[in-house]
Amino acid sequence: MRACDGGAGHGCSVAGFLLFKGEGVEVDLARGVKLLERGCAKDDVTACCNFADALARGLGTPVDRPRAMRLAAALCEKSAEGCDTLYDVSTTSGASIEEFGEAAKLLRAACERGDEKACSRAEELERIVRKHAKKHRRPRTSRHVPLSPSSMCGLAKTCETRDELAAARRKRK
């Protein structure tokens, strides 16, 4: 705790983690999440990752998925640990297909930067997005324009008249 109070982001991260796990102290999720947030504000990546996870799961704080996703996305652009967090946050219960898609794009970018773990995770999320898109594909619409009842009457009369003409022609022969 002293290290966190002294301004060390990593100290806040460690203290927050200990409060979450109850190692050497009583479990206090609310206090732990506040320490993680302080550590994150001091640019400690581990504190930010754990804070984003807590936000996504509602551990010691109300669930705030949009904030968790924004934080995890920013972390993924900086580190492999951040990409792990992005994957975890995007796959927690309640995730939307849009979150899967956004996470897949960011993980694909991390893959292209050389993060092999991000490659397999991007593929997994891309598969989920494709499967969802296929399942929820809208049926193709017909290009034919339905006729109005009045025009159908007109066509019916025309057809009727043609039939009458054909019958009249046959009678002549």
Side-chain angles (χ1 to χ4, degrees), residues 56-102:
R57 298 172 193 275
L59 300 173
T61 184
V63 172
D64 189 347
R65 291 193 58 75
R67 185 174 178 198
M69 282 297 292
R70 284 191 307 273
L71 180 56
L75 290 167
C76 185
E77 292 176 0
K78 296 178 184 177
S79 72
E81 185 181 4
C83 289
D84 289 343
T85 299
L86 175 63
Y87 175 81
D88 292 341
V89 167
S90 67
T91 57
T92 58
S93 64
S96 69
I97 198 66
E98 291 79 16
E99 288 173 326
F100 282 136
E102 183 60 30

Side-chain angles (χ1 to χ4, degrees), residues 144-156:
H144 119 201
V145 178
L147 298 171
S148 68
S150 62
S151 66
M152 285 193 277
C153 285
L155 286 176

Side-chain angles (χ1 to χ4, degrees), residues 118-136:
C119 296
S120 63
R121 289 181 164 186
E123 288 172 17
E124 181 182 344
L125 294 180
E126 289 164 348
R127 257 192 316 275
I128 291 169
V129 171
R130 279 192 308 271
K131 185 177 179 181
H132 181 276
K134 186 176 180 181
K135 185 177 179 181
H136 293 90

Side-chain angles (χ1 to χ4, degrees), residues 151-167:
S151 66
M152 285 193 277
C153 285
L155 286 176
K157 287 179 184 173
T158 303
C159 295
E160 198 177 297
T161 307
R162 286 184 184 159
D163 288 342
E164 288 173 357
L165 272 173

